[in-house]
Amino acid sequence: MLDLTDPVLPGFTPWPTELAQRYREQNCWTGETFADVLAARAAAAPDRIAVLDPANSWTYAELDHRSSALATGLARLGLGAGDRVLVQLPNRAEFVEVIFALFKLGALPVFCLPAHRGAELVPIATAAAATAMITCGTHQRFDYAALAESVRAEVPSLRHLLLVLDEPGRELSDDVHDIAEFRDTPGELAGPSASAVAFLQLSGGSTGIPKLIARTHDDYLYSVRRSAEICELDSDTVYLATLPVAHNFPMSSPGILGALWAGGTVALTPDPTPATAFPLIERFGVTITGLVPPLARLWTERAEAGDTPDLSSLRVVQVGGARCQEELARRVGPALGVTLQQVFGMAEGLVCYTRLDDPIDVVVGTQGRPMSEHDRIAVVDDHGAEVAPGATGNLITQGPYTIRGYYDNPEADARSFTAEGWYRTGDIVSVRPDGNLVVAGRAGDWVNRGGEKVSAEELEAHLLEHPDVRDAVIVGTPDPVLGQRICAFVQPADPAVRPSLITVRSFVRARGVAAWKMPDTVVVVDEFPATGVGKTSRKELRQLLADGALGQ
Ligand code: AMP
Ligand code: DBH
């Protein structure tokens, strides 16, 4: 166990002292913890609904009580301040109970996604030196308890396995526990200080194993509070966690924590498809949710087809996590009867929003602007020099809720942070005169075809205009002569109509695009592979090509 009053977890890179002091003076960091927020809301409005899922409805008083009871039980098991606990749960009410129990103990949830498997979980658990894991039994026909046991077998520090179970009669090994056994009578809990690390979040990581991101109560609560203000949340808000709730976007932008901060209601859907989520929107009176672009497309198409449940409670749909093409952005609001908000964020910190009263060209054509006046952003060339105003370059940032280093990972820090502590986002952006950012893509999302650089995003936007194309992704494939060639992955609008290379090339040419940007190959696939949060995975598409799995 660590000293509760010691905010410095080994491996955590704090802000420089003068900056930390300034963020406190500026009232960004208020000295409150997440447990303090919950206690305050429970005291102010004990009977208001805090959490809803298809099986549960808990008031603030109940959530506060349940999480204290579980914290007390987990302390009996030996868990305490500073312990790292892998949490891998689907979207269900107990997720909220579990993370608040851990916050109250000062133990650090490590936020894993349901899509993670041993290849990710073992390195994550090892890097975090986790002592416990909390997961579920079988969900969507996958046995998470068995996965957790296999992870534990490979990670010596991982002693305790706890399950959120709703399979009566499931046999458990002696050393695997049902969390129901640990809901004790709440005892005294000292709780951590606000400057302590609250949890470890994961970077999506476009390559390799996710990196661990340590966030403090102070800095994260600031981002949650600012997000809730920008998204105009209040006690009437019903936020639907549609994306996997452990991800930074549905957690904090403004996400479930924003909804609780505002004294509103968190609703959770076990899966994000319109078939499951739309009836829940009607049933719970959902007012706001956040989606990744592939889901926004699915929801929009479903709503455009008509005959949906009543979605009229929904006021705001956020789209973020990957670039939302303008073609899609224009359709979301009218189809769903909502205000669209674009969100460009990262688990490392910086989050940009379009504002709810922004003009339509900003909402559909940009990824918004930083949420805090204390965020600093700069756009630099590959040598670190600032580019001319409005020019495209690498986005770097620092501020009151952007980390100064990864958790215990000096190699990653050397790549991702400048000597002055700026975080290199890896995103290629331009800043418009009105301050809004346009994300052109990731630094690696360019195809270098014989020295001619082609923007994947630019070419994708052209392909999306073709009536037979539902979605498109451009990636580079290795070529012995040119270095790279341009491969267009195309998802057809109608599976029976499969656009050919000739069709695609002549369409793009007719749009006045330079000859050297023409795709060299078109691969038609019915579905794109997705990351754990549902973003289209360029990495996997590149891998498919490299493996030759698609023929050509
Ligand atoms: P993660 O590592 O999972 O936290 O992902 C953060 C990254 O997702 C950012 O650095 C961007 O590359 C990407 N991203 C998030 N939101 C957007 C957006 N609205 N538009 C474009 N890219 C985005
Ligand atoms: O993609 C992300 O990581 C992301 C997107 C929107 C994020 O972390 C966020 C908002 O907070």
Side-chain angles (χ1 to χ4, degrees):
M1 279 214 210
L2 295 181
D3 176 0
L4 276 180
T5 57
D6 178 2
V8 184
L9 181 71
F12 167 65
T13 310
W15 281 258
T17 315
E18 338 60 269
L19 267 184
Q21 202 173 338
R22 193 188 311 162
Y23 295 147
R24 285 197 186 94
E25 283 163 11
Q26 289 164 334
N27 233 8
C28 301
W29 298 358
T30 59
E32 259 189 314
T33 67
F34 283 99
D36 295 336
V37 171
L38 179 57
R41 299 299 172 270
D47 300 327
R48 204 179 279 155
I49 299 298
V51 186
L52 284 172
D53 74 8
N56 298 282
S57 167
W58 298 338
T59 63
Y60 272 88
E62 284 167 334
L63 174 63
D64 195 36
H65 179 86
R66 290 181 79 105
S67 52
S68 292
L70 182 59
T72 307
L74 295 178
R76 170 163 59 83
L77 192 63
L79 288 180
D83 278 325
R84 272 81 70 195
V85 180
L86 261 56
V87 177
Q88 186 181 38
L89 287 172
N91 286 12
R92 51 186 297 167
E94 291 86 350
F95 178 91
V96 187
E97 175 191 11
V98 163
I99 67 167
F100 275 93
L102 295 172
F103 290 158
K104 288 177 179 186
L105 269 182
L108 278 46
V110 183
F111 291 129
C112 305
L113 299 173
H116 285 137
R117 295 293 177 264
E120 290 97 17
L121 295 173
V122 170
I124 290 168
T126 306
T131 52
M133 178 162 181
I134 302 181
T135 184
C136 61
T138 300
H139 172 73
Q140 289 178 344
R141 293 184 303 282
F142 182 79
D143 190 343
Y144 283 91
L147 171 63
E149 291 215 49
S150 72
V151 171
R152 179 168 64 173
E154 291 187 55
V155 182
S157 64
L158 200 51
R159 291 194 300 280
H160 308 294
L161 250 183
L162 293 129
L163 304 180
V164 173
L165 276 183
D166 45 15
E167 296 164 79
R170 179 173 175 140
E171 295 277 321
L172 300 182
S173 338
D174 282 349
D175 55 353
V176 179
H177 305 287
D178 183 338
I179 66 160
E181 297 162 32
F182 293 92
R183 292 196 182 105
D184 290 2
T185 305
E188 269 305 302
L189 297 161
S193 81
S195 51
V197 172
F199 57 81
L200 298 176
Q201 183 57 274
L202 307 176
S203 79
S206 46
T207 51
I209 306 304
K211 295 181 281 285
L212 298 174
I213 295 166
R215 303 283 301 258
T216 64
H217 291 268
D218 266 335
D219 90 81
Y220 206 62
L221 200 42
Y222 174 56
S223 78
V224 164
R225 203 174 74 228
R226 233 358 245 144
S227 297
E229 286 164 4
I230 285 173
C231 299
E232 300 174 16
L233 303 194
D234 60 26
S235 57
D236 293 327
T237 293
V238 182
Y239 174 87
L240 183 69
T242 304
L243 299 172
V245 61
H247 188 271
N248 197 59
F249 179 14
M251 177 80 69
S252 68
S253 300
I256 62 166
L257 295 177
L260 295 175
W261 186 84
T265 300
V266 170
L268 301 106
T269 174
D271 90 69
T273 60
T276 307
F278 284 10
L280 291 179
I281 291 172
E282 176 174 330
R283 175 170 155 198
F284 295 147
V286 170
T287 59
I288 174 171
T289 191
L291 305 173
V292 288
L295 264 183
R297 186 175 293 283
L298 196 67
W299 282 35
T300 298
E301 287 170 352
R302 180 64 196 83
E304 284 169 349
D307 194 25
T308 63
D310 180 5
L311 304 178
S312 60
S313 60
L314 202 53
R315 286 201 286 272
V316 175
V317 167
Q318 307 176 292
V319 180
R323 169 76 196 244
C324 181
Q325 291 285 355
E326 193 162 333
E327 163 270 339
L328 174 62
R330 285 193 185 283
R331 290 161 59 194
V332 175
L336 293 161
V338 298
T339 299
L340 167 70
Q341 179 180 53
Q342 295 212 38
V343 190
F344 162 50
M346 52 209 72
E348 288 82 354
L350 180 71
V351 183
C352 300
Y353 293 97
T354 58
R355 306 306 198 255
L356 300 184
D357 58 356
D358 273 346
I360 190 73
D361 78 291
V362 171
V363 172
V364 301
T366 82
Q367 280 63 57
R369 51 197 179 278
M371 68 163 130
S372 165
E373 60 184 307
H374 305 295
D375 283 317
R376 295 179 66 195
I377 60 171
V379 183
V380 300
D381 65 20
D382 290 342
H383 309 289
E386 268 197 71
V387 302
T392 300
N394 302 288
L395 175 67
I396 61 172
T397 184
Q398 59 169 289
Y401 61 97
T402 294
I403 56 167
R404 308 290 292 197
Y406 286 105
Y407 174 69
D408 197 20
N409 196 338
E411 296 80 32
D413 290 350
R415 283 193 304 274
S416 299
F417 293 84
T418 71
E420 295 76 35
W422 294 77
Y423 170 55
R424 296 190 171 103
T425 65
D427 293 313
I428 306 293
V429 308
S430 58
V431 182
R432 305 196 333 174
D434 61 13
N436 288 293
L437 274 61
V438 175
V439 181
R442 301 278 310 164
D445 288 349
W446 294 73
V447 184
N448 189 336
R449 191 181 188 280
E452 304 278 15
K453 291 254 190 94
V454 180
S455 151
E457 190 270 331
E458 177 196 334
L459 202 44
E460 285 159 9
H462 286 296
L463 294 189
L464 277 173
E465 295 297 328
H466 194 286
D468 296 337
V469 173
R470 177 171 186 265
D471 207 350
V473 174
I474 301 291
V475 299
T477 66
D479 181 86
V481 179
L482 293 167
Q484 283 190 308
R485 292 188 309 149
I486 303 170
C487 175
F489 281 97
V490 168
Q491 225 183 67
D494 171 354
V497 183
R498 305 181 87 77
S500 68
L501 178 61
I502 293 173
T503 312
V504 168
R505 290 178 67 113
S506 50
F507 178 76
V508 175
R509 189 171 298 118
R511 291 177 63 82
V513 174
W516 47 269
K517 295 183 185 171
M518 292 301 127
D520 296 293
T521 322
V522 168
V523 180
V524 182
V525 286
D526 291 317
E527 262 194 76
F528 290 155
T531 67
V533 73
K535 306 183 193 184
T536 299
S537 173
R538 289 174 188 275
K539 187 175 90 176
E540 269 189 57
L541 286 171
R542 288 194 189 100
Q543 193 58 47
L544 283 173
L545 277 182
D547 294 346
L550 298 165
Q552 272 177 38

